[in-house]
Amino acid sequence: MTEPVARDRSALITATAFVVALSLRPALTAVGPVLPRIGLDLHLGEAAQGLLGTLPLLAFAVASPLVHLASRRFGMERAVFVSLLVLAASSALRPYTGQAGLWIGTAVVGAAIAVGNVLVPVIIKRDYAGHVSRATGVYTAFITGGAAIASILAVPIADAVDWRLSLAVWGGLAVLVAVIWLPRTLAPEPMPPATTDDGVPPVSVWRQPMAWLVTGFMGLQSTSFYLFVNWLPTIEIATGGVSERSTGVHLFIFQVFGLIGGLSIPLLLKHPTNQRAGLMTASVPILLALLGLLVAPHLAIVWAIVGGLGQGAGLVAALSLISLRGRGHHETTQLSGMAQAVGYTLAAAGPVVAGYLTQVTGGWSTTLSVFATLAAVQVVLGFAAGRDTRST
């Protein structure tokens, strides 16, 4: 094999990290559009349906801090491969094993996805060390694309067959991705050094101030994202008089501009030591969108666009920050697990708290004020976490 061919083949195998991203959301986003059918068929009330939608996030929170143990034991590539097989089996079986199987399967789906959530950004940092932010932007674009495809196809598949197949079919995607990923598991994986990249003995990320800044940023951007995804249509109907059909269009626009924001923000994150410009640019639009919904709800489509840009950029910024602030593969894996554990705990609580506040106060003003305050805290955390690391 000639050197150019070998190089092309290596680049192709390296790019399979992006393919894995395609499989990290369909098993989740396919549920929402058919949730009423699931509830009707299995006699689940609205509260149970809401918990079913939140369960994967809780599984993320529980499993994420433990992923580094599997990574150390089996290696990152093999851990991802096994998680894809588990994801495939749990996705395919959960619709056909009754109510108990649905709950257990959904929790297992969340735990399997958590492995990819934690490890794939670390693998990207290793494989694209000189272009971490740009590669992370592509990675999140693949995540968004996979999520959108599943959301669009869920109802047509359910109409053509039933809701069970509309969930199970994504197990086939996970199998396909596992086959594509398999070559990466066959080569020996280099053992990372016991020290960090700067030669300093590792210290638990739970004891590092910078790790808590990164974790706080990740958690707050996740919280606002799931507030938008779960409640934006309801907020628009209640405060802006927007029609139900239009809210669906606005939510789609929110996701499209999230993709644009995610692909654009790496330009502001490419500085090797200082990412303040990128983190501020990603955070401020989220604050503006929440304030806009509060004071000018009739401009809902504007706030959907602004919020989408901020949320897409915020996810890329958070994942890039994890890679850029982690000193070495082991520490980055632990930081990723910590940030996602706390982040998805907040994300799971956010929509519930929003609903409770709205129910107690009888309107959305208090809720939007509280979440706008949290978005302001995200701006502050981003400013602190994005500082020039050469001064630390």
Side-chain angles (χ1 to χ4, degrees):
M1 182 179 293
T2 64
E3 183 179 347
V5 173
R7 188 182 303 116
D8 290 343
R9 181 179 179 184
S10 176
L12 185 61
I13 292 176
T14 300
T16 56
F18 303 124
V19 180
V20 172
L22 280 176
S23 66
L24 295 182
R25 291 299 180 271
L28 308 183
T29 58
V31 174
V34 297
L35 195 53
R37 306 187 193 204
I38 297 173
L40 184 62
D41 195 6
L42 297 181
H43 308 291
L44 299 177
E46 291 184 356
Q49 293 177 40
L51 180 58
L52 185 66
T54 305
L55 186 57
L57 300 181
L58 298 176
F60 289 173
V62 172
S64 293
L66 306 176
V67 171
H68 78 280
L69 299 176
S71 173
R72 285 192 172 189
R73 176 67 178 83
F74 303 106
M76 290 190 291
E77 266 84 0
R78 292 180 178 87
V80 170
F81 179 73
V82 172
S83 74
L84 287 169
L85 296 181
V86 173
L87 175 60
S90 55
S91 297
L93 292 175
R94 65 172 172 163
Y96 299 103
T97 51
Q99 190 172 133
L102 180 67
W103 288 101
I104 296 172
T106 298
V108 175
V109 162
I113 292 174
V115 177
N117 284 344
V118 172
L119 292 184
V120 175
V122 181
I123 292 172
I124 287 175
K125 174 185 179 178
R126 183 195 66 195
D127 293 349
Y128 295 92
H131 309 279
V132 172
S133 296
R134 186 184 305 172
T136 301
V138 175
Y139 164 73
T140 58
F142 272 74
I143 287 181
T144 303
I149 290 171
S151 297
I152 292 171
L153 294 181
V155 171
I157 295 174
D159 287 341
V161 184
D162 60 14
W163 66 265
R164 290 179 170 82
L165 183 63
S166 71
L167 298 188
V169 69
W170 304 109
L173 173 63
V175 171
L176 177 61
V177 173
V179 172
I180 295 173
W181 186 258
L182 181 61
R184 297 188 68 138
T185 69
L186 302 179
E189 184 174 340
M191 292 297 294
T195 59
T196 58
D197 289 342
D198 53 12
V200 178
V203 177
S204 171
V205 293
W206 296 90
R207 295 164 54 192
Q208 297 180 25
M210 176 58 74
W212 281 105
L213 292 175
V214 174
T215 296
F217 185 88
M218 176 73 182
L220 291 177
Q221 72 84 26
S222 297
T223 301
S224 57
F225 172 76
Y226 283 99
L227 172 75
F228 279 109
V229 168
N230 285 277
W231 288 113
L232 180 59
T234 304
I235 293 171
E236 290 186 345
I237 292 172
T239 63
V242 181
S243 68
E244 185 176 2
R245 177 173 296 182
S246 294
T247 62
V249 175
H250 292 181
L251 190 56
F252 175 76
I253 290 173
F254 172 83
Q255 294 172 327
V256 169
F257 276 87
L259 185 62
I260 294 172
L263 289 174
S264 302
I265 198 63
L267 295 174
L268 297 177
L269 293 171
K270 61 183 180 180
H271 192 281
T273 57
N274 190 326
Q275 291 78 40
R276 273 180 172 165
L279 296 179
M280 293 298 96
T281 302
S283 301
V284 171
I286 300 172
L287 175 59
L288 292 177
L290 290 166
L291 291 175
L293 288 171
L294 179 64
V295 302
H298 60 284
L299 299 176
I301 189 170
V302 174
W303 311 129
I305 292 172
V306 173
L309 287 170
Q311 286 299 329
L315 177 59
V316 175
L319 294 177
S320 297
L321 200 58
I322 291 170
S323 295
L324 293 168
R325 293 295 180 265
R327 302 168 303 170
H329 295 315
H330 283 323
E331 184 174 281
T332 303
T333 303
Q334 293 179 12
L335 178 56
S336 183
M338 173 185 174
Q340 297 194 50
V342 175
Y344 286 118
T345 299
L346 292 174
V352 177
V353 171
Y356 174 77
L357 286 175
T358 302
Q359 180 177 337
V360 170
T361 62
W364 283 97
S365 295
T366 300
T367 301
L368 289 172
S369 298
V370 168
F371 280 83
T373 301
L374 294 177
V377 175
Q378 179 186 329
V379 173
V380 174
L381 292 179
F383 185 82
R387 69 178 183 269
D388 193 332
T389 54
R390 290 173 299 185
S391 63
T392 61

